[in-house]
Amino acid sequence: MSSETLAAAKRAGHNAEHHVLDRVDALKPTSGEEHWDAVADTAIWPSEDLPFHGLCVVEAGLPVEIKSTMVVQTSVQRRGRFKLRAQQHSALVERSGVYLFVVCEPRPQREPLAMKIVPARSAGGLVDANASWRDELDGRGRKAQLTWTNVFDPAEVE
């Protein structure tokens, strides 16, 4: 991936993260030194806009990693993929953290179409069932990619 494409992907991810932080008042952004994007400042309960899978509440103090993808990407309209990093995933599992998965419009603003919270431990099961951890050449260790349909029913998004 070219540095220009990587920079655009990082910007789009940051835009999606900001939209999520604006919508979920109970999330407090981290300084960037942690392995995750936010911490639950207060307990977070499921809602119509933010369903949970595999848990009833995100307790205050738990780490939250925001993973976003576009509903479609590339000119062939391939479904977007969430990219998980093994080192980050292990840290989340160790701290009983969660992923907040976000599927966004295919625009630079990346407005969320759907969001869902999944415990990191359960997300590891999704990787085991649908993908695999692979060594990457970017120096950031092992990664896995999940198509958004591994996390969401298409009816939740489309």
Side-chain angles (χ1 to χ4, degrees):
M1 182 180 282
S2 74
S3 61
E4 186 175 302
T5 305
L6 182 60
K10 277 190 157 308
R11 275 193 313 275
H14 285 290
N15 287 341
E17 183 181 320
H18 288 291
H19 284 296
V20 169
L21 292 170
D22 285 344
R23 288 184 181 194
V24 184
D25 293 334
L27 288 179
K28 180 176 116 181
T30 59
S31 66
E33 295 176 22
E34 296 83 356
H35 285 286
W36 40 83
D37 299 314
V39 172
D41 198 30
T42 61
I44 303 172
W45 301 92
S47 67
E48 188 173 312
D49 293 334
L50 184 59
F52 289 14
H53 174 79
L55 73 163
C56 300
V57 64
V58 175
E59 297 175 13
L62 288 183
V64 178
E65 174 58 15
I66 301 167
K67 290 293 184 187
S68 65
T69 191
M70 291 184 288
V71 68
V72 292
Q73 58 188 32
T74 73
S75 60
V76 295
Q77 302 293 294
R78 185 178 87 164
R79 287 183 168 148
R81 287 160 171 63
F82 299 111
K83 294 169 181 67
L84 281 60
R85 292 183 294 142
Q87 182 180 10
Q88 179 183 58
H89 177 74
S90 294
L92 284 168
V93 168
E94 184 178 307
R95 295 273 318 269
S96 299
V98 299
Y99 287 101
L100 196 161
F101 291 107
V102 185
V103 179
C104 301
E105 296 175 341
R107 296 190 180 101
Q109 298 88 347
R110 303 241 1 211
E111 287 281 338
L113 296 169
M115 301 187 298
K116 184 181 286 184
I117 289 184
V118 176
R121 189 172 310 278
S122 295
L126 290 172
V127 170
D128 294 342
N130 301 290
S132 62
W133 296 102
R134 297 187 175 160
D135 291 322
E136 294 291 326
L137 302 176
D138 64 2
R140 295 179 74 183
R142 298 170 54 79
K143 293 182 182 174
Q145 293 187 21
L146 291 172
T147 304
W148 65 257
T149 55
N150 295 135
V151 178
F152 294 87
D153 183 293
E156 294 175 283
V157 175
E158 296 169 344

